[in-house]
Structures are given as C-alpha cells and as structure tokens.
C-alpha cells in the first residue's frame, strides 16, 4: 500500500486549505444523517448505552471500542473504501 505523496511545504498545505475552504463554501457540510462525526457519535452513544457501568474496566472498554472504531475507519479510508 503506497499513499499518494502529500503536497510539500507551506505552499502545498496552503493549497490544501484553500481547496477545503472552496469545497466547503460550494458544497457545505453534509446533513447530520450522513456526517461521519455524527455517525461516530451515534455509534459510541449506542455502545455507552449498552455497556455503561460505573466501573473503570467498563470505561477502558468504552475507550478501546472508540479507538478501534476510529482506527478501523481510518484504515478503510486509507485503503480507499
């Protein structure tokens, strides 16, 4: 797996920021139903409702589940789907 090279230096980062601002101005944010951060929040809310206990071990499991979910999503995004 080879990632595409990132634009180099300040000029590349500035171009990426400008492209993001233009895209946001043209398209805007997706509705909450489709927004990835809102989806993550819904999933983690369900995990918390299912497994909440006032115990340290449950909190560790909750944090591990959130970390695994975010890492898995990042790996899928890096692979292109």
């Amino acid at each position: 797996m080879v990632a595409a090279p990132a634009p180099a230096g300040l000029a590349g980062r500035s171009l990426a920021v400008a492209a993001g601002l233009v895209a946001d101005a043209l398209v805007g944010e997706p509705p909450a139903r489709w927004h990835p951060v809102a989806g993550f929040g819904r999933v983690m809310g369900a995990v918390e409702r299912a497994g909440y206990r006032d115990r340290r071990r449950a909190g560790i499991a909750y944090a591990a589940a959130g970390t695994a979910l975010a890492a898995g999503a990042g790996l899928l995004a890096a692979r292109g789907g």
Side-chain angles (χ1 to χ4, degrees):
M1 174 173 85
V2 177
L10 181 59
R13 287 191 299 272
S14 299
L15 181 61
V17 168
L21 289 171
V22 169
D24 191 47
L26 293 175
V27 180
E29 289 287 322
R33 179 178 183 172
W34 301 107
H35 199 287
V37 175
F40 180 84
R42 284 191 298 274
V43 170
M44 291 308 295
V47 169
E48 184 176 15
R49 285 188 296 279
Y52 177 79
R53 307 288 181 274
D54 192 13
R55 300 283 181 260
R56 182 174 300 193
R57 187 173 294 187
I60 292 169
Y62 177 78
T67 302
L69 178 62
L75 288 173
L76 280 176
R79 292 182 58 192

